[in-house]
Amino acid sequence: MNSLTASAAIATGRVQLANVRQGALVTARLRALWIMVLFIFATLTACVRIAQLGMFEQTPERTSLAEALLPSRGEITDRNGIALARAFASYSLWYNPKAMGEGGAPLVKTPEEVARALVGIFPDADYADLVARLKAGKPCYLRRRVLPEDANKVFALGEPALEFPREEQRFYPQGSLAAHVLGYVDEAGKGHVGMEQVLEPRLLDPAYRGTPTALSIDARAQGALEDELGRGMMETMAKGAAGVILDADSGEVIALASLPSFNPNRSDLAYNDLVFNRVSNQVYELGSTFKPITIASAIDAGVVTDLAVRYPSVPFQIGKFTIHDSHNFGSSLNVPEALIHSSNVVLAHVADLLGPVALKHTMEQLGMNERPTIELPARGFPLWPRGGSEGGKGDWARLTTMTVSYGHGIAVTPLHLASAYAALVNGGIWRPATLYKVDPAHLAPGRRVFQASTSARMRQLLRMIVVDGTGRKADASGFRVGGKTGSAEKPGANGYRKTSLIATFASAFPMDKPRYVVIVMLDEPQATQQTSGQRTAAWNAAPIVGRLVPRIGPMLGVTPDAHHDVDISDLSPLVGSGEGE
């Protein structure tokens, strides 16, 4: 009995064990099935999402790869591919007052000691400003664009709160070169003032920022212009200077300089007066440089047909105003003599014969009544003479016509003058100035202002001014320079200020086949030993061109040639002697 009971119990145990195993197996299979279902669902979800990305969106991997291969901001180069502005990975100096934890002192040393040490590393830093920032206890940048060796020096100070985040910033490898052309990029990455502002959409567009944008500027010519302008400004103790080199045919700006200048690598330029552009944004009465324009207008109009005709050169009065010259040139002068000696009186007589309608039309055709045509955002509006008695809308008054003929009573930018002189010497076609590199096969159509024959005559006259007249000091041997001086008193609250001059030399070379226009201007030059005690353009602006042209000519494909020149043999017998500007 006992054995039977034991056998039954064993059998029952076996059955229960089998049932347990069977249940565990079923549970395991169910779990595996659920896991498989979940895996399949997750896989299907991922596949659907991948399909959506492939069909409708750009994948994150593709975007990040493209971004990694592109600079954050496109590069700007000169016409020859020399980098003028580019994105550059550098260190910044960041102050993190919580680097040593909440409640702890932000600095190991005192703010004064840290600031003093930082000024030792960065001599141009402001000690008081650094102390104020460190004491404020707020996170902030202490400096941008820190060199690795300077970062190591700061690290050696042993201040955990001074950190060095690595960031991509704007870098100008040529320093201040062409600063007024380029402008600058602020700490927020936004372009200001120059082509950085103009080109911003392109420079930030992923479709374009991988390709450098070439400007019309030639970095070599730009450097030479800035160097000679700076020398002229220093020698004459002038308060400022401006210069532009323009391709006479295409209107391309080969160089543009405004002094004093600035370094766009600095981060404190937002309210800096140095960013003001004297070439495109400041208007001046440019004086006698307007005289060739008036003569060209008179030749075109048939008012001047015989250059031997003489005009009175003694002072005369119009109302309460007396028109006179700086020197006594005798009782009469012809047109070549009037230009060589820079006679206001003769130009006034020619303008009187020409009349206000014709002269005003010429000035309008040269764009003198509107902002200069160039891509720069800062462009000065001319001080355009008022008309007759109809609220300034009619013809110029007789006196206005006379004074405009020799560059008074009208104020324009040096860039206006450059474009006008290009039309004067290139065959008579005015084209807008541009900072973009231009394909010679796709020049802007421009507009005809002077007849080709008039332009040819003006090339003779401008060359004669340099050979025999006030432009002698610009006569670079072999480069056949032609041009005109201009020395204009600056207007003030109580009339013209006799002690403040704008001295300008407007020129082109080589005059037998003009390639480039060069404008140089000095703002309030002083009489110095270097200028033989003189303040006029013949003694200060013209010599700058005389030194500049031999430097830039070979760079720009113009070599000195003593065997070719403009033929002025038919004009030479008409010229006497005298002095002028």
Side-chain angles (χ1 to χ4, degrees), residues 31 33 135 236 332 501 524 565 570:
R31 288 176 179 173
L33 182 61
K135 285 185 174 181
T236 62
S332 66
L501 290 182
E524 296 190 20
D565 208 335
D570 60 328

Short mmCIF file of all heavy atoms in Angstrom, two decimals, residues 31 33 135 236 332 501 524 565 570:
data_model
loop_
_atom_site.label_atom_id
_atom_site.label_comp_id
_atom_site.label_asym_id
_atom_site.label_seq_id
_atom_site.Cartn_x
_atom_site.Cartn_y
_atom_site.Cartn_z
N ARG A 31 7.10 35.60 -24.77
CA ARG A 31 8.01 36.75 -24.62
C ARG A 31 8.87 36.96 -25.86
O ARG A 31 9.08 38.09 -26.31
CB ARG A 31 8.92 36.52 -23.41
CG ARG A 31 8.19 36.66 -22.08
CD ARG A 31 9.11 36.33 -20.93
NE ARG A 31 8.42 36.49 -19.65
CZ ARG A 31 8.94 36.14 -18.47
NH1 ARG A 31 10.17 35.59 -18.43
NH2 ARG A 31 8.25 36.32 -17.35
N LEU A 33 8.07 36.13 -28.83
CA LEU A 33 7.18 36.64 -29.88
C LEU A 33 6.96 38.14 -29.73
O LEU A 33 7.01 38.90 -30.70
CB LEU A 33 5.86 35.87 -29.84
CG LEU A 33 4.83 36.26 -30.92
CD1 LEU A 33 5.40 35.98 -32.31
CD2 LEU A 33 3.54 35.46 -30.71
N LYS A 135 35.34 92.49 -11.95
CA LYS A 135 34.62 92.75 -10.71
C LYS A 135 33.11 92.56 -10.85
O LYS A 135 32.43 92.25 -9.86
CB LYS A 135 34.91 94.17 -10.23
CG LYS A 135 36.28 94.36 -9.61
CD LYS A 135 36.44 95.75 -9.04
CE LYS A 135 37.76 95.90 -8.29
NZ LYS A 135 37.91 97.26 -7.71
N THR A 236 52.89 116.79 -45.29
CA THR A 236 52.16 118.06 -45.32
C THR A 236 51.34 118.29 -44.06
O THR A 236 50.65 119.30 -43.96
CB THR A 236 51.21 118.10 -46.53
OG1 THR A 236 50.23 117.05 -46.40
CG2 THR A 236 51.97 117.91 -47.83
N SER A 332 45.44 138.73 -71.23
CA SER A 332 44.65 137.70 -71.91
C SER A 332 45.41 136.37 -71.94
O SER A 332 46.64 136.34 -71.86
CB SER A 332 44.31 138.14 -73.34
OG SER A 332 45.49 138.23 -74.12
N LEU A 501 42.67 124.36 -47.11
CA LEU A 501 42.58 123.98 -48.53
C LEU A 501 42.25 122.51 -48.71
O LEU A 501 42.59 121.67 -47.86
CB LEU A 501 43.90 124.26 -49.25
CG LEU A 501 44.33 125.70 -49.50
CD1 LEU A 501 45.64 125.71 -50.29
CD2 LEU A 501 43.27 126.50 -50.23
N GLU A 524 43.29 119.74 -46.00
CA GLU A 524 43.98 120.75 -45.19
C GLU A 524 45.48 120.49 -45.04
O GLU A 524 46.02 120.41 -43.93
CB GLU A 524 43.32 120.87 -43.80
CG GLU A 524 41.88 121.35 -43.85
CD GLU A 524 41.32 121.69 -42.48
OE1 GLU A 524 42.12 121.91 -41.53
OE2 GLU A 524 40.08 121.74 -42.34
N ASP A 565 54.53 109.16 -76.93
CA ASP A 565 53.87 110.18 -76.13
C ASP A 565 52.75 110.81 -76.96
O ASP A 565 52.64 110.55 -78.17
CB ASP A 565 54.86 111.27 -75.70
CG ASP A 565 54.47 111.95 -74.39
OD1 ASP A 565 53.25 111.95 -74.08
OD2 ASP A 565 55.34 112.47 -73.69
N ASP A 570 51.24 120.77 -81.99
CA ASP A 570 50.39 121.83 -82.52
C ASP A 570 49.93 122.79 -81.43
O ASP A 570 49.47 123.90 -81.72
CB ASP A 570 49.17 121.25 -83.23
CG ASP A 570 48.31 120.39 -82.31
OD1 ASP A 570 48.86 119.77 -81.39
OD2 ASP A 570 47.08 120.34 -82.52
#
